[in-house]
């Protein structure tokens, strides 16, 4: 399989190169040249597979012959061995509203949020390719919460990789901060920046624009636009469908997906496009509702960013949206570039009526307020004793009119106990991944929000390594 850019400026590259490139060198997002489609017999045959065996089948056409099947199988095994549930992403049936609601639990990985599903595998693939082809990788990223710890856990202890993660000092939740700073492996370098999340992001962008520095240190990113993140996340849609349908291709399943960067829900769209019998994909947003407005009106218009109880979804411009736009506009890079120019110049882009009709056929969408989020946590707890994280609660609340939709449970509630306490007056007990976190030793550098200070810190750290 070869990969091209949504903006048309990247000559086709193989899977490994696409993986290492992350963002396209033309600023676009990488997509496969063709999307494989699956016959009903394949779906039926796959429906009884373990998560790991299914991951191997789903990913093989996208990887092609670049990684031998045995190696890929081994990397997949290793990536999910650290999950605390034998099914990796189990379904949980919960009594609710007189019926039963199904939650797809994606939080059994080492940082208790769904980003582990992709980032554990991405780390192992990076290591495999660096060892095979020679080379080193120094990852630099900024985080306001979940992504940083999942990225750190994805690469900790890997000899050819260093990771530098910046977070705004004192402005991430105590659990999230500890999840990052208690990882003491020699290749993990946390930096608390005396500033805001925007300062952190600005520093990262500044260093990436310094092409000399970037090349000298083999700087790379782990962000939500790496193709592997989408690919790894399609697997659990297949898994959930197989467990619910028993392999019957006539059985269609709906999903409600808490959404920020449009990554998870795009993975569901991709699974459907490959032939998975998906009935409805519900985009669930919090008050940051750019995607909900887009589905309602056909216009994608930037707004202001609000802080909510579901902070991992406090995003206005969804970085994976460009992939969907590419397919919506008939895989025409010139059309994508024109729409992105509109967005840049006017703060919004609009699609044609026929395309808008397609959007509404692809997705339903609902925005959920903080009050509704808390009410949902309370309602589910009262009905069953099951505790939802606020992001998952947004998914459940957004699909109350479709109780048959499987809700993606994106984080363990104990990561967001402030919201949980506010909703039900008690906290969720910590899963194994979070137990004892506040008592462990920490290691973290502290810097001013200055690119000179960050350059010097990276230089001296890598000189010592
Ligand atoms: C990142 C995250 C989301 C949003 O996922 P996207 O892929 O950005 O749409 C939702 N819930 C939690 C807990 C997250 O960490």
């Amino acid at each position: 399989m070869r990969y091209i850019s949504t903006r048309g400026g990247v000559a086709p590259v193989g899977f490994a190169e696409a993986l290492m490139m992350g963002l396209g060198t033309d600023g676009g997002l990488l997509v496969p040249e063709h999307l494989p489609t699956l016959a009903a017999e394949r779906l039926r045959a796959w429906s009884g597979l373990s998560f790991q065996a299914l991951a191997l089948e789903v990913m093989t056409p996208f990887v092609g012959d670049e990684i031998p099947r045995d190696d890929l199988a081994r990397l997949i095994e290793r990536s999910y061995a650290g999950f605390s549930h034998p099914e990796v992403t189990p379904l949980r049936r919960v009594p609710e509203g007189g019926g039963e609601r199904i939650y797809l639990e994606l939080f059994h990985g080492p940082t208790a949020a769904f980003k582990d599903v992709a980032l554990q595998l991405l780390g192992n693939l990076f290591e495999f390719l660096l060892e095979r082809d020679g080379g080193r990788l120094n990852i630099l990223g900024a985080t306001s919460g979940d992504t940083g710890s999942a990225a750190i856990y994805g690469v900790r202890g890997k000899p050819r990789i260093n990771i530098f993660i910046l977070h705004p000092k004192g402005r991430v939740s105590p659990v999230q901060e500890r999840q990052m700073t208690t990882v003491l492996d020699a290749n993990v370098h946390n930096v608390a920046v005396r500033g805001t999340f925007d300062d952190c992001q600005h520093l990262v962008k500044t260093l990436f624009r310094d092409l000399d520095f970037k090349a000298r240190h083999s700087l790379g990113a782990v962000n939500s636009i790496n193709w592997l993140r989408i690919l790894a996340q399609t697997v659990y849609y297949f898994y959930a469908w197989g467990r619910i349908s028993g392999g019957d291709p006539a059985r269609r399943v709906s999903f409600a997906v808490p959404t920020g960067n449009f990554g998870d829900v795009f993975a569901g769209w991709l699974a459907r496009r490959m032939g998975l019998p998906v009935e409805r994909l519900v985009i669930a947003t919090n008050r940051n509702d750019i995607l909900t407005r887009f589905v309602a009106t056909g216009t994608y218009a930037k707004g202001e960013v609000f802080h909510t109880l579901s902070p991992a979804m406090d995003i206005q411009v969804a970085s994976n949206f460009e992939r969907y736009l590419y397919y919506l506009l008939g895989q025409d890079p010139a059309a994508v570039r024109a729409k992105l120019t509109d967005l840049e110049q006017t703060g919004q882009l609009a699609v044609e009526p026929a395309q808008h009709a397609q959007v509404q056929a692809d997705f339903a969408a609902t925005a959920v307020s903080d009050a509704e989020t808390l009410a949902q946590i309370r309602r589910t707890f009262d009905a069953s004793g099951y505790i939802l994280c606020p992001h998952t609660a947004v998914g459940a609340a957004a699909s109350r009119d479709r109780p048959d939709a499987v809700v993606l449970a994106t984080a363990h509630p104990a990561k967001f106990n402030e919201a949980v306490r506010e909703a039900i007056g008690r906290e969720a007990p910590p899963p194994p991944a979070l137990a004892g976190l506040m008592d462990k030793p920490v290691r973290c550098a502290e810097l001013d929000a200055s690119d000179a200070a960050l350059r010097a810190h990276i230089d001296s750290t890598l000189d010592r390594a």
Side-chain angles (χ1 to χ4, degrees):
M1 179 72 79
R2 297 192 307 169
Y3 292 81
I4 53 177
S5 164
T6 49
R7 299 188 191 176
V10 176
V13 296
F15 175 77
E17 202 174 338
L19 203 81
M20 300 308 290
M21 193 183 290
L23 183 68
T25 45
D26 64 347
L29 305 197
L30 298 173
V31 288
E33 244 179 343
H34 315 283
L35 291 180
T37 49
L38 299 166
E41 310 85 76
R42 294 285 274 311
L43 288 171
R44 198 175 289 128
W46 288 359
S47 67
L49 296 181
S50 70
F51 181 91
Q52 291 89 334
L54 183 61
L56 182 62
E57 298 299 341
V58 172
M59 290 185 201
T60 290
F62 291 94
V63 177
D65 53 11
E66 276 192 59
I67 298 178
R69 191 172 158 92
D70 285 355
D71 287 321
L72 185 59
R74 196 171 40 76
L75 293 168
I76 289 170
E77 279 302 327
R78 187 188 304 161
S79 300
Y80 301 111
F83 278 56
S84 62
H85 195 288
E87 279 194 69
V88 184
T89 60
L91 293 170
R92 177 84 169 237
R93 293 169 191 273
V94 173
E96 205 169 281
E100 169 189 86
R101 177 72 104 158
I102 303 179
Y103 290 91
L104 175 59
E105 292 187 343
L106 304 174
F107 51 72
H108 294 284
T111 73
F114 86 94
K115 292 182 173 77
D116 289 328
V117 176
L119 288 171
Q120 284 292 307
L121 182 60
L122 185 62
N124 283 320
L125 281 165
F126 276 153
E127 181 186 42
F128 175 83
L129 294 172
L130 291 167
E131 242 160 49
R132 187 187 71 183
D133 304 338
R136 306 189 62 83
L137 177 63
N138 293 306
I139 294 167
L140 173 62
T143 191
S144 59
D146 276 350
T147 309
S149 58
I152 287 171
Y153 273 81
V155 303
R156 65 183 296 183
K158 300 203 185 310
R160 289 174 177 272
I161 302 174
N162 281 285
I163 184 165
F164 293 84
I165 293 290
L166 277 49
H167 69 265
K169 181 178 155 63
R171 297 185 196 218
V172 297
S173 84
V175 169
Q176 288 176 327
E177 185 188 317
R178 288 294 172 125
Q179 278 190 298
M180 295 189 282
T181 58
T182 55
V183 180
L184 303 180
D185 299 73
N187 71 329
V188 172
H189 313 287
N190 281 287
V191 180
V193 172
R194 290 186 278 262
T196 63
F197 174 59
D198 284 345
D199 292 331
C200 296
Q201 263 191 321
H202 186 73
L203 286 173
V204 169
K205 282 190 188 150
T206 305
L207 263 60
F208 273 110
R209 268 201 303 269
D210 181 345
L211 296 182
D212 245 17
F213 187 84
K214 182 170 178 240
R216 182 153 49 90
H217 288 311
S218 313
L219 282 197
V222 186
N223 40 33
S224 62
I225 49 77
N226 195 297
W227 174 253
L228 186 89
R229 291 192 57 179
I230 304 293
L231 183 57
Q233 290 167 198
T234 60
V235 176
Y236 46 70
Y237 287 92
F238 282 88
Y239 185 78
W241 178 83
R243 286 296 181 276
I244 290 167
S245 70
D248 174 5
R251 176 75 164 88
R252 306 181 76 79
V253 176
S254 296
F255 294 91
V257 189
T259 304
N261 267 318
F262 204 71
D264 226 355
V265 72
F266 182 74
W269 178 90
L270 178 68
R272 176 162 62 195
R273 181 81 177 232
M274 289 166 71
L276 191 73
V278 173
E279 176 75 35
R280 207 80 181 115
L281 285 169
V282 181
I283 293 175
T285 63
N286 60 27
R287 191 177 168 201
N288 297 288
D289 61 351
I290 184 168
L291 291 164
T292 299
R293 286 184 283 116
F294 174 65
V295 173
T297 65
T299 297
Y300 185 81
K302 288 190 211 173
E304 152 191 12
V305 180
F306 298 104
H307 291 283
T308 73
L309 292 173
S310 43
M313 293 158 34
D314 291 347
I315 288 165
Q316 268 296 338
V317 176
S319 53
N320 272 293
F321 179 73
E322 186 172 332
R323 283 197 169 103
Y324 177 66
L325 191 63
Y326 170 78
Y327 289 101
L328 186 65
L329 301 178
Q331 307 181 43
D332 176 355
V336 172
R337 289 197 305 268
K339 292 294 179 202
L340 293 174
T341 304
D342 289 349
L343 182 64
E344 203 173 297
Q345 291 179 349
T346 67
Q348 61 178 60
L349 68 83
V351 299
E352 301 302 317
Q355 293 156 349
H356 183 213
Q358 182 62 49
V359 173
Q360 294 196 323
D362 284 340
F363 301 108
T366 303
V368 173
S369 69
D370 275 353
E372 290 169 302
T373 305
L374 293 172
Q376 181 66 47
I377 295 174
R378 211 172 296 129
R379 199 158 43 233
T380 302
F381 181 71
D382 288 345
S384 64
Y386 188 64
I387 303 178
L388 304 178
C389 101
H391 308 80
T392 309
V394 167
S399 57
R400 282 189 79 191
D401 60 338
R402 296 172 198 278
D404 60 314
V406 175
V407 178
L408 272 60
T410 52
H412 191 284
K415 282 192 93 164
F416 299 95
N417 259 330
E418 269 172 47
V420 169
R421 205 183 317 110
E422 193 175 336
I424 60 172
R426 49 164 286 184
E427 297 196 345
L434 303 179
L437 205 57
M438 302 315 275
D439 305 322
K440 290 183 181 165
V442 301
R443 181 162 58 80
C444 185
E446 193 178 314
L447 295 178
D448 282 330
S450 123
D451 59 298
L454 181 61
R455 269 196 197 82
H457 177 70
I458 292 176
D459 278 334
S460 70
T461 307
L462 294 178
D463 281 351
R464 265 183 284 120

